[in-house]
mmCIF file of all heavy atoms in Angstrom:
data_model
loop_
_atom_site.group_PDB
_atom_site.id
_atom_site.type_symbol
_atom_site.label_atom_id
_atom_site.label_comp_id
_atom_site.label_asym_id
_atom_site.label_seq_id
_atom_site.Cartn_x
_atom_site.Cartn_y
_atom_site.Cartn_z
ATOM 1 N N LEU A 204 18.810 1.445 -9.028
ATOM 2 C CA LEU A 204 17.943 2.013 -8.003
ATOM 3 C C LEU A 204 16.492 2.177 -8.450
ATOM 4 O O LEU A 204 15.658 2.752 -7.787
ATOM 5 C CB LEU A 204 18.464 3.395 -7.577
ATOM 6 C CG LEU A 204 19.826 3.392 -6.868
ATOM 7 C CD1 LEU A 204 20.304 4.809 -6.681
ATOM 8 C CD2 LEU A 204 19.743 2.662 -5.539
ATOM 9 N N HIS A 205 16.221 1.654 -9.657
ATOM 10 C CA HIS A 205 14.856 1.837 -10.178
ATOM 11 C C HIS A 205 13.892 0.914 -9.470
ATOM 12 O O HIS A 205 14.198 -0.236 -9.162
ATOM 13 C CB HIS A 205 14.828 1.569 -11.690
ATOM 14 C CG HIS A 205 13.646 2.168 -12.338
ATOM 15 N ND1 HIS A 205 12.384 1.620 -12.259
ATOM 16 C CD2 HIS A 205 13.489 3.363 -12.992
ATOM 17 C CE1 HIS A 205 11.511 2.413 -12.867
ATOM 18 N NE2 HIS A 205 12.180 3.472 -13.322
ATOM 19 N N VAL A 206 12.668 1.450 -9.191
ATOM 20 C CA VAL A 206 11.680 0.602 -8.492
ATOM 21 C C VAL A 206 11.308 -0.638 -9.273
ATOM 22 O O VAL A 206 10.928 -1.654 -8.683
ATOM 23 C CB VAL A 206 10.390 1.387 -8.126
ATOM 24 C CG1 VAL A 206 10.591 2.257 -6.923
ATOM 25 C CG2 VAL A 206 9.873 2.183 -9.303
ATOM 26 N N ALA A 207 11.426 -0.549 -10.602
ATOM 27 C CA ALA A 207 11.034 -1.706 -11.411
ATOM 28 C C ALA A 207 12.130 -2.762 -11.501
ATOM 29 O O ALA A 207 11.908 -3.860 -11.982
ATOM 30 C CB ALA A 207 10.656 -1.248 -12.815
ATOM 31 N N THR A 208 13.342 -2.425 -11.017
ATOM 32 C CA THR A 208 14.414 -3.421 -11.013
ATOM 33 C C THR A 208 14.265 -4.312 -9.800
ATOM 34 O O THR A 208 14.328 -3.845 -8.681
ATOM 35 C CB THR A 208 15.796 -2.716 -11.002
ATOM 36 O OG1 THR A 208 15.830 -1.752 -12.018
ATOM 37 C CG2 THR A 208 16.930 -3.711 -11.147
ATOM 38 N N SER A 209 14.066 -5.579 -10.108
ATOM 39 C CA SER A 209 13.879 -6.502 -8.980
ATOM 40 C C SER A 209 15.236 -7.062 -8.540
ATOM 41 O O SER A 209 15.966 -7.600 -9.346
ATOM 42 C CB SER A 209 12.944 -7.615 -9.425
ATOM 43 O OG SER A 209 12.799 -8.535 -8.392
ATOM 44 N N PRO A 210 15.600 -6.879 -7.267
ATOM 45 C CA PRO A 210 16.913 -7.379 -6.843
ATOM 46 C C PRO A 210 16.942 -8.912 -6.865
ATOM 47 O O PRO A 210 15.877 -9.541 -6.738
ATOM 48 C CB PRO A 210 17.014 -6.842 -5.408
ATOM 49 C CG PRO A 210 15.631 -6.597 -4.970
ATOM 50 C CD PRO A 210 14.826 -6.303 -6.184
ATOM 51 N N ILE A 212 18.321 -10.955 -4.651
ATOM 52 C CA ILE A 212 17.875 -11.441 -3.336
ATOM 53 C C ILE A 212 17.235 -10.293 -2.559
ATOM 54 O O ILE A 212 17.564 -9.135 -2.765
ATOM 55 C CB ILE A 212 19.021 -12.063 -2.496
ATOM 56 C CG1 ILE A 212 20.191 -11.082 -2.379
ATOM 57 C CG2 ILE A 212 19.480 -13.404 -2.994
ATOM 58 C CD1 ILE A 212 21.122 -11.384 -1.249
ATOM 59 N N VAL A 213 16.302 -10.678 -1.709
ATOM 60 C CA VAL A 213 15.565 -9.657 -0.949
ATOM 61 C C VAL A 213 16.105 -9.683 0.479
ATOM 62 O O VAL A 213 15.716 -10.536 1.279
ATOM 63 C CB VAL A 213 14.071 -9.933 -0.999
ATOM 64 C CG1 VAL A 213 13.301 -8.857 -0.216
ATOM 65 C CG2 VAL A 213 13.590 -9.956 -2.441
ATOM 66 N N VAL A 214 16.990 -8.754 0.787
ATOM 67 C CA VAL A 214 17.538 -8.748 2.142
ATOM 68 C C VAL A 214 16.579 -8.055 3.095
ATOM 69 O O VAL A 214 15.701 -7.336 2.662
ATOM 70 C CB VAL A 214 18.938 -8.031 2.188
ATOM 71 C CG1 VAL A 214 19.989 -8.847 1.490
ATOM 72 C CG2 VAL A 214 18.834 -6.642 1.592
ATOM 73 N N CYS A 215 16.777 -8.320 4.374
ATOM 74 C CA CYS A 215 15.969 -7.711 5.435
ATOM 75 C C CYS A 215 14.520 -8.210 5.488
ATOM 76 O O CYS A 215 13.730 -7.708 6.261
ATOM 77 C CB CYS A 215 15.921 -6.185 5.366
ATOM 78 S SG CYS A 215 17.546 -5.444 5.401
ATOM 79 N N ARG A 216 14.187 -9.151 4.666
ATOM 80 C CA ARG A 216 12.836 -9.708 4.717
ATOM 81 C C ARG A 216 12.914 -11.236 4.747
ATOM 82 O O ARG A 216 11.972 -11.908 4.318
ATOM 83 C CB ARG A 216 12.019 -9.253 3.476
ATOM 84 C CG ARG A 216 11.604 -7.807 3.523
ATOM 85 C CD ARG A 216 10.635 -7.581 4.682
ATOM 86 N NE ARG A 216 10.135 -6.235 4.754
ATOM 87 C CZ ARG A 216 10.106 -5.547 5.897
ATOM 88 N NH1 ARG A 216 10.545 -6.063 7.024
ATOM 89 N NH2 ARG A 216 9.600 -4.324 5.919
ATOM 90 N N GLN A 220 9.733 -13.879 4.487
ATOM 91 C CA GLN A 220 9.661 -14.821 3.359
ATOM 92 C C GLN A 220 9.616 -16.239 3.902
ATOM 93 O O GLN A 220 8.864 -17.080 3.396
ATOM 94 C CB GLN A 220 10.872 -14.664 2.456
ATOM 95 C CG GLN A 220 10.887 -13.367 1.672
ATOM 96 C CD GLN A 220 12.154 -13.196 0.889
ATOM 97 O OE1 GLN A 220 12.351 -13.848 -0.130
ATOM 98 N NE2 GLN A 220 13.034 -12.336 1.351
ATOM 99 N N GLY A 243 1.147 -4.244 5.707
ATOM 100 C CA GLY A 243 2.251 -3.374 6.073
ATOM 101 C C GLY A 243 2.159 -2.090 5.265
ATOM 102 O O GLY A 243 1.465 -2.044 4.243
ATOM 103 N N CYS A 244 2.873 -1.065 5.700
ATOM 104 C CA CYS A 244 2.788 0.223 5.031
ATOM 105 C C CYS A 244 3.346 0.126 3.609
ATOM 106 O O CYS A 244 4.044 -0.811 3.278
ATOM 107 C CB CYS A 244 3.590 1.255 5.815
ATOM 108 S SG CYS A 244 2.839 1.579 7.386
ATOM 109 N N PRO A 245 3.048 1.134 2.793
ATOM 110 C CA PRO A 245 3.573 1.129 1.422
ATOM 111 C C PRO A 245 5.114 1.054 1.387
ATOM 112 O O PRO A 245 5.779 1.605 2.262
ATOM 113 C CB PRO A 245 3.117 2.486 0.863
ATOM 114 C CG PRO A 245 1.946 2.887 1.687
ATOM 115 C CD PRO A 245 2.169 2.288 3.045
ATOM 116 N N GLY A 246 5.620 0.372 0.376
ATOM 117 C CA GLY A 246 7.055 0.326 0.158
ATOM 118 C C GLY A 246 7.837 -0.485 1.175
ATOM 119 O O GLY A 246 9.039 -0.310 1.346
ATOM 120 N N THR A 247 7.160 -1.424 1.841
ATOM 121 C CA THR A 247 7.890 -2.224 2.832
ATOM 122 C C THR A 247 8.272 -3.606 2.266
ATOM 123 O O THR A 247 8.625 -4.502 3.007
ATOM 124 C CB THR A 247 7.078 -2.399 4.153
ATOM 125 O OG1 THR A 247 5.745 -2.817 3.797
ATOM 126 C CG2 THR A 247 7.020 -1.104 4.911
ATOM 127 N N GLY A 248 8.145 -3.750 0.950
ATOM 128 C CA GLY A 248 8.656 -4.961 0.316
ATOM 129 C C GLY A 248 7.681 -6.135 0.279
ATOM 130 O O GLY A 248 8.075 -7.279 0.089
ATOM 131 N N LYS A 249 6.369 -5.842 0.418
ATOM 132 C CA LYS A 249 5.401 -6.951 0.437
ATOM 133 C C LYS A 249 5.303 -7.649 -0.912
ATOM 134 O O LYS A 249 5.464 -8.862 -1.024
ATOM 135 C CB LYS A 249 4.013 -6.428 0.846
ATOM 136 C CG LYS A 249 3.961 -5.777 2.203
ATOM 137 C CD LYS A 249 2.594 -5.297 2.568
ATOM 138 C CE LYS A 249 2.073 -4.192 1.672
ATOM 139 N NZ LYS A 249 2.808 -2.917 1.769
ATOM 140 N N THR A 250 5.060 -6.824 -1.971
ATOM 141 C CA THR A 250 4.905 -7.420 -3.303
ATOM 142 C C THR A 250 6.175 -8.128 -3.718
ATOM 143 O O THR A 250 6.157 -9.259 -4.198
ATOM 144 C CB THR A 250 4.537 -6.314 -4.325
ATOM 145 O OG1 THR A 250 3.339 -5.686 -3.867
ATOM 146 C CG2 THR A 250 4.321 -6.860 -5.699
ATOM 147 N N LEU A 251 7.319 -7.455 -3.490
ATOM 148 C CA LEU A 251 8.605 -8.036 -3.866
ATOM 149 C C LEU A 251 8.830 -9.374 -3.141
ATOM 150 O O LEU A 251 9.202 -10.376 -3.761
ATOM 151 C CB LEU A 251 9.700 -7.036 -3.464
ATOM 152 C CG LEU A 251 11.128 -7.425 -3.758
ATOM 153 C CD1 LEU A 251 11.353 -7.440 -5.260
ATOM 154 C CD2 LEU A 251 12.113 -6.425 -3.124
ATOM 155 N N SER A 252 8.594 -9.403 -1.836
ATOM 156 C CA SER A 252 8.851 -10.618 -1.088
ATOM 157 C C SER A 252 7.939 -11.769 -1.509
ATOM 158 O O SER A 252 8.368 -12.894 -1.648
ATOM 159 C CB SER A 252 8.653 -10.392 0.422
ATOM 160 O OG SER A 252 9.476 -9.356 0.845
ATOM 161 N N ASP A 333 -3.224 -8.748 -4.778
ATOM 162 C CA ASP A 333 -2.431 -7.586 -4.310
ATOM 163 C C ASP A 333 -3.335 -6.354 -4.289
ATOM 164 O O ASP A 333 -4.388 -6.318 -4.939
ATOM 165 C CB ASP A 333 -1.252 -7.376 -5.284
ATOM 166 C CG ASP A 333 -0.085 -6.673 -4.557
ATOM 167 O OD1 ASP A 333 -0.296 -6.131 -3.460
ATOM 168 O OD2 ASP A 333 1.025 -6.650 -5.121
ATOM 169 N N GLU A 334 -2.906 -5.366 -3.519
ATOM 170 C CA GLU A 334 -3.666 -4.115 -3.357
ATOM 171 C C GLU A 334 -5.109 -4.419 -2.944
ATOM 172 O O GLU A 334 -6.055 -3.902 -3.492
ATOM 173 C CB GLU A 334 -3.661 -3.290 -4.666
ATOM 174 C CG GLU A 334 -2.304 -3.067 -5.291
ATOM 175 C CD GLU A 334 -1.492 -1.953 -4.611
ATOM 176 O OE1 GLU A 334 -2.034 -1.247 -3.745
ATOM 177 O OE2 GLU A 334 -0.282 -1.850 -4.937
ATOM 178 N N ASP A 336 -6.660 -3.547 -0.500
ATOM 179 C CA ASP A 336 -7.374 -2.400 0.118
ATOM 180 C C ASP A 336 -8.582 -1.969 -0.732
ATOM 181 O O ASP A 336 -9.596 -1.595 -0.175
ATOM 182 C CB ASP A 336 -6.436 -1.207 0.240
ATOM 183 C CG ASP A 336 -5.112 -1.608 0.773
ATOM 184 O OD1 ASP A 336 -4.438 -2.471 0.175
ATOM 185 O OD2 ASP A 336 -4.708 -1.087 1.805
ATOM 186 N N ILE A 365 -2.725 -9.236 -0.056
ATOM 187 C CA ILE A 365 -1.730 -8.221 0.326
ATOM 188 C C ILE A 365 -2.408 -6.862 0.413
ATOM 189 O O ILE A 365 -3.081 -6.448 -0.530
ATOM 190 C CB ILE A 365 -0.584 -8.146 -0.713
ATOM 191 C CG1 ILE A 365 -0.033 -9.523 -1.024
ATOM 192 C CG2 ILE A 365 0.530 -7.209 -0.230
ATOM 193 C CD1 ILE A 365 1.062 -9.565 -2.104
ATOM 194 N N ALA A 366 -2.245 -6.207 1.557
ATOM 195 C CA ALA A 366 -2.908 -4.901 1.721
ATOM 196 C C ALA A 366 -1.963 -3.946 2.415
ATOM 197 O O ALA A 366 -1.025 -4.379 3.100
ATOM 198 C CB ALA A 366 -4.176 -5.061 2.535
ATOM 199 N N ASN A 367 -2.198 -2.649 2.262
ATOM 200 C CA ASN A 367 -1.242 -1.773 2.954
ATOM 201 C C ASN A 367 -1.818 -0.835 4.017
ATOM 202 O O ASN A 367 -1.041 -0.256 4.777
ATOM 203 C CB ASN A 367 -0.312 -1.024 1.988
ATOM 204 C CG ASN A 367 -1.031 -0.054 1.120
ATOM 205 O OD1 ASN A 367 -2.116 0.412 1.459
ATOM 206 N ND2 ASN A 367 -0.470 0.230 -0.030
ATOM 207 N N PHE A 391 4.447 -6.674 7.769
ATOM 208 C CA PHE A 391 5.734 -6.148 7.324
ATOM 209 C C PHE A 391 5.959 -4.806 7.989
ATOM 210 O O PHE A 391 5.371 -3.811 7.595
ATOM 211 C CB PHE A 391 5.728 -5.954 5.789
ATOM 212 C CG PHE A 391 5.982 -7.230 5.018
ATOM 213 C CD1 PHE A 391 5.190 -8.327 5.200
ATOM 214 C CD2 PHE A 391 7.006 -7.290 4.104
ATOM 215 C CE1 PHE A 391 5.411 -9.506 4.501
ATOM 216 C CE2 PHE A 391 7.262 -8.455 3.368
ATOM 217 C CZ PHE A 391 6.446 -9.564 3.569
ATOM 218 N N TYR A 394 10.723 -0.178 7.348
ATOM 219 C CA TYR A 394 12.184 -0.394 7.387
ATOM 220 C C TYR A 394 12.861 0.604 8.313
ATOM 221 O O TYR A 394 12.491 1.782 8.344
ATOM 222 C CB TYR A 394 12.777 -0.243 5.986
ATOM 223 C CG TYR A 394 12.503 -1.384 5.046
ATOM 224 C CD1 TYR A 394 11.850 -1.182 3.832
ATOM 225 C CD2 TYR A 394 12.915 -2.684 5.363
ATOM 226 C CE1 TYR A 394 11.609 -2.222 2.952
ATOM 227 C CE2 TYR A 394 12.659 -3.738 4.486
ATOM 228 C CZ TYR A 394 12.031 -3.494 3.294
ATOM 229 O OH TYR A 394 11.793 -4.516 2.438
ATOM 230 N N ILE A 402 19.814 -2.513 2.362
ATOM 231 C CA ILE A 402 19.155 -2.747 1.064
ATOM 232 C C ILE A 402 19.842 -1.927 -0.017
ATOM 233 O O ILE A 402 20.107 -2.424 -1.131
ATOM 234 C CB ILE A 402 17.640 -2.408 1.135
ATOM 235 C CG1 ILE A 402 16.940 -3.348 2.119
ATOM 236 C CG2 ILE A 402 17.001 -2.509 -0.244
ATOM 237 C CD1 ILE A 402 15.520 -2.956 2.445
ATOM 238 N N LEU A 403 20.147 -0.690 0.296
ATOM 239 C CA LEU A 403 20.837 0.161 -0.691
ATOM 240 C C LEU A 403 22.194 -0.440 -1.070
ATOM 241 O O LEU A 403 22.563 -0.520 -2.229
ATOM 242 C CB LEU A 403 21.023 1.580 -0.150
ATOM 243 C CG LEU A 403 19.765 2.480 -0.181
ATOM 244 C CD1 LEU A 403 20.058 3.799 0.510
ATOM 245 C CD2 LEU A 403 19.323 2.720 -1.620
ATOM 246 N N GLN A 405 23.080 -3.471 -0.950
ATOM 247 C CA GLN A 405 22.879 -4.659 -1.756
ATOM 248 C C GLN A 405 22.524 -4.287 -3.198
ATOM 249 O O GLN A 405 23.022 -4.888 -4.137
ATOM 250 C CB GLN A 405 21.774 -5.498 -1.098
ATOM 251 C CG GLN A 405 21.854 -6.981 -1.382
ATOM 252 C CD GLN A 405 21.118 -7.309 -2.650
ATOM 253 O OE1 GLN A 405 20.166 -6.658 -3.035
ATOM 254 N NE2 GLN A 405 21.577 -8.362 -3.319
ATOM 255 N N ARG A 406 21.704 -3.285 -3.353
ATOM 256 C CA ARG A 406 21.265 -2.898 -4.691
ATOM 257 C C ARG A 406 22.374 -2.219 -5.477
ATOM 258 O O ARG A 406 22.435 -2.314 -6.707
ATOM 259 C CB ARG A 406 20.036 -1.969 -4.638
ATOM 260 C CG ARG A 406 18.771 -2.704 -4.229
ATOM 261 C CD ARG A 406 17.554 -1.812 -4.327
ATOM 262 N NE ARG A 406 17.088 -1.699 -5.692
ATOM 263 C CZ ARG A 406 15.892 -2.068 -6.127
ATOM 264 N NH1 ARG A 406 15.021 -2.589 -5.285
ATOM 265 N NH2 ARG A 406 15.542 -1.918 -7.368
ATOM 266 N N ASP A 433 9.608 3.774 3.968
ATOM 267 C CA ASP A 433 9.129 3.355 2.653
ATOM 268 C C ASP A 433 10.319 3.257 1.693
ATOM 269 O O ASP A 433 10.933 4.251 1.355
ATOM 270 C CB ASP A 433 8.105 4.407 2.190
ATOM 271 C CG ASP A 433 7.567 4.173 0.771
ATOM 272 O OD1 ASP A 433 8.147 3.341 0.060
ATOM 273 O OD2 ASP A 433 6.587 4.840 0.421
ATOM 274 N N MET A 434 10.603 2.040 1.245
ATOM 275 C CA MET A 434 11.788 1.821 0.388
ATOM 276 C C MET A 434 11.613 2.483 -0.970
ATOM 277 O O MET A 434 12.591 2.922 -1.588
ATOM 278 C CB MET A 434 12.015 0.308 0.240
ATOM 279 C CG MET A 434 13.388 -0.047 -0.271
ATOM 280 S SD MET A 434 14.684 0.558 0.829
ATOM 281 C CE MET A 434 15.957 0.839 -0.367
ATOM 282 N N ARG A 435 10.358 2.533 -1.437
ATOM 283 C CA ARG A 435 10.131 3.163 -2.729
ATOM 284 C C ARG A 435 10.571 4.622 -2.680
ATOM 285 O O ARG A 435 11.189 5.133 -3.597
ATOM 286 C CB ARG A 435 8.635 3.065 -3.073
ATOM 287 C CG ARG A 435 8.350 3.242 -4.531
ATOM 288 C CD ARG A 435 6.883 3.042 -4.857
ATOM 289 N NE ARG A 435 6.461 1.663 -4.799
ATOM 290 C CZ ARG A 435 5.551 1.170 -3.963
ATOM 291 N NH1 ARG A 435 4.985 1.961 -3.111
ATOM 292 N NH2 ARG A 435 5.226 -0.095 -4.004
ATOM 293 N N LYS A 436 10.259 5.243 -1.551
ATOM 294 C CA LYS A 436 10.633 6.638 -1.366
ATOM 295 C C LYS A 436 12.167 6.802 -1.349
ATOM 296 O O LYS A 436 12.691 7.749 -1.917
ATOM 297 C CB LYS A 436 10.058 7.061 0.002
ATOM 298 C CG LYS A 436 10.279 8.466 0.364
ATOM 299 C CD LYS A 436 9.039 9.150 0.089
ATOM 300 C CE LYS A 436 9.059 10.591 0.321
ATOM 301 N NZ LYS A 436 7.806 11.131 -0.107
ATOM 302 N N LEU A 438 14.370 4.901 -2.843
ATOM 303 C CA LEU A 438 14.893 4.738 -4.216
ATOM 304 C C LEU A 438 14.603 5.959 -5.057
ATOM 305 O O LEU A 438 15.477 6.449 -5.782
ATOM 306 C CB LEU A 438 14.270 3.476 -4.863
ATOM 307 C CG LEU A 438 14.601 2.141 -4.156
ATOM 308 C CD1 LEU A 438 13.822 1.001 -4.767
ATOM 309 C CD2 LEU A 438 16.092 1.845 -4.231
HETATM 310 N N1 ATP B 739 14.264 -5.765 0.954
HETATM 311 C C1 ATP B 739 14.368 -5.136 -0.212
HETATM 312 N N2 ATP B 739 15.444 -5.263 -1.001
HETATM 313 C C2 ATP B 739 15.518 -4.618 -2.186
HETATM 314 N N3 ATP B 739 14.588 -3.802 -2.646
HETATM 315 C C3 ATP B 739 13.470 -3.622 -1.919
HETATM 316 C C4 ATP B 739 13.311 -4.277 -0.654
HETATM 317 N N4 ATP B 739 12.102 -3.921 -0.150
HETATM 318 C C5 ATP B 739 11.545 -3.095 -1.050
HETATM 319 N N5 ATP B 739 12.363 -2.913 -2.096
HETATM 320 C C6 ATP B 739 12.056 -2.109 -3.302
HETATM 321 O O1 ATP B 739 11.192 -1.058 -2.914
HETATM 322 C C7 ATP B 739 10.091 -0.909 -3.825
HETATM 323 C C8 ATP B 739 8.797 -1.121 -3.102
HETATM 324 O O2 ATP B 739 8.654 -2.479 -2.683
HETATM 325 P P1 ATP B 739 7.276 -3.286 -2.845
HETATM 326 O O3 ATP B 739 6.621 -2.923 -4.134
HETATM 327 O O4 ATP B 739 7.522 -4.710 -2.574
HETATM 328 O O5 ATP B 739 6.468 -2.614 -1.650
HETATM 329 P P2 ATP B 739 4.994 -2.948 -1.127
HETATM 330 O O6 ATP B 739 5.134 -3.252 0.317
HETATM 331 O O7 ATP B 739 4.359 -3.973 -1.988
HETATM 332 O O8 ATP B 739 4.292 -1.543 -1.300
HETATM 333 P P3 ATP B 739 2.738 -1.209 -1.599
HETATM 334 O O9 ATP B 739 2.013 -1.431 -0.328
HETATM 335 O O10 ATP B 739 2.762 0.251 -1.956
HETATM 336 O O11 ATP B 739 2.300 -2.082 -2.709
HETATM 337 C C9 ATP B 739 10.362 -1.911 -4.940
HETATM 338 O O12 ATP B 739 10.985 -1.257 -5.996
HETATM 339 C C10 ATP B 739 11.289 -2.930 -4.325
HETATM 340 O O13 ATP B 739 12.141 -3.445 -5.310
#
Side-chain angles (χ1 to χ4, degrees):
L204 294 173
H205 200 281
V206 282
T208 308
S209 177
I212 53 160
V213 181
V214 291
C215 303
R216 286 297 182 226
Q220 291 175 74
C244 292
T247 49
K249 300 180 295 293
T250 302
L251 180 68
S252 303
D333 206 346
E334 309 282 352
D336 314 57
I365 310 177
N367 66 24
F391 279 56
Y394 286 122
I402 296 170
L403 282 175
Q405 206 273 331
R406 289 186 79 119
D433 176 348
M434 196 59 210
R435 199 175 287 118
K436 182 101 183 175
L438 297 173

